[in-house]
Amino acid sequence: MKAAVVQFPGSNCDRDMAVGFRHAGFDASLVWHKETALPEGVDVVGVPGGFSYGDYLRCGAIAAQSPIMRAVKDFAAKGGHVLGVCNGFQVLCETQMLPGVLMRNAGLKFVCRSEPLEVATADSPFTNDYSAGQGIDVPIAHHDGNYQIDDEGLTALRSEDRIAFTYRDNPNGSRADIAGVLSANRRVLGMMPHPERAIEDAQGGADGASLFAALAGALVAA
């Protein structure tokens, strides 16, 4: 299994995400944002956290125009799996691979802590090692993690069971406590919390490891 992790100027969780994939058995490589194609035979693309392009204009807006993101969009359109975390979630929303938008936290402060989440659905390649309703703890670190979506979009997410994770103690004002959402084909996941920072007990908890393990299992089964 092969994973590619995109690097932008300002990415700071790219290597962490690669370690998360490797922990689950992936051969993970880093891909610079100016590349125009993904490595041959890639099974999943990771879009990591950080501050791409210094968060100028809007968080993720400039990164969304990078050459590699055209390849990532084509990859997803053909049924490829994509995981966007924190700034990566913002990038996926800016490319319209996922609905909604990430805005400044309601409290106007950067939040960095371990956050209790609830698994909203176990019906996806990313979450099927969890149980729906299960509580997990995953770190957060963001200033613009306030997920917003219009009424029609929220109704669609709920009716199609595409809310992946919710906050149990909403740290940023996200609508409906949403912490992560899935694409219509369930193969693209964007989430603000950092599962790659919770893959072993030495990090303070390993609840994020199941996400990478679930994806590996889904790809092996396919």
Side-chain angles (χ1 to χ4, degrees), residues 72-95:
V72 174
K73 287 186 71 174
D74 289 343
F75 175 75
K78 294 174 183 176
H81 294 78
V82 181
L83 170 64
V85 172
C86 199
N87 186 220
F89 187 11
Q90 296 162 344
V91 173
L92 295 183
C93 289
E94 289 288 343
T95 60

Side-chain angles (χ1 to χ4, degrees), residues 8-198:
F8 301 106
S11 295
N12 65 10
C13 299
D14 42 354
R15 289 171 175 80
D16 295 12
M17 182 174 278
V19 169
F21 281 122
R22 290 169 186 152
H23 190 269
F26 287 88
D27 176 10
S29 59
L30 302 177
V31 181
W32 187 234
H33 69 111
K34 288 188 176 181
E35 297 292 336
T36 58
L38 293 168
E40 193 70 27
V42 162
D43 298 295
V44 57
V45 175
V47 188
F51 306 91
S52 61
Y53 294 92
D55 284 347
Y56 290 113
L57 185 60
R58 292 185 311 276
C59 297
I62 301 176
Q65 304 304 315
S66 293
I68 195 61
M69 288 310 299
R70 290 192 283 273
V72 174
K73 287 186 71 174
D74 289 343
F75 175 75
K78 294 174 183 176
H81 294 78
V82 181
L83 170 64
V85 172
C86 199
N87 186 220
F89 187 11
Q90 296 162 344
V91 173
L92 295 183
C93 289
E94 289 288 343
T95 60
Q96 299 185 349
M97 293 168 64
L98 291 172
V101 63
L102 280 305
M103 301 176 64
R104 186 62 47 90
N105 293 345
L108 303 181
K109 293 182 179 180
F110 185 89
V111 289
C112 182
R113 66 191 189 215
S114 183
E115 183 69 21
L117 306 179
E118 184 169 307
V119 180
T121 181
D123 183 18
S124 84
F126 304 93
T127 59
N128 62 22
D129 267 13
Y130 300 111
S131 300
Q134 179 180 346
I136 61 174
D137 289 306
V138 180
I140 58 171
H142 58 253
H143 196 228
D144 296 74
N146 182 354
Y147 181 78
Q148 295 297 318
I149 191 167
D150 61 21
D151 291 345
E152 182 179 356
L154 180 58
T155 297
L157 289 179
R158 284 172 165 164
S159 65
E160 296 168 15
D161 191 31
R162 288 168 50 199
I163 299 173
F165 300 99
T166 56
Y167 298 109
R168 287 188 166 178
D169 178 17
N170 194 330
N172 50 38
S174 288
R175 188 165 190 195
D177 300 323
I178 291 173
V181 299
L182 295 158
S183 61
N185 70 357
R186 315 185 80 76
R187 293 190 173 193
V188 179
L189 169 66
M191 59 187 296
M192 285 309 294
H194 288 267
E196 78 282 4
R197 295 183 181 178

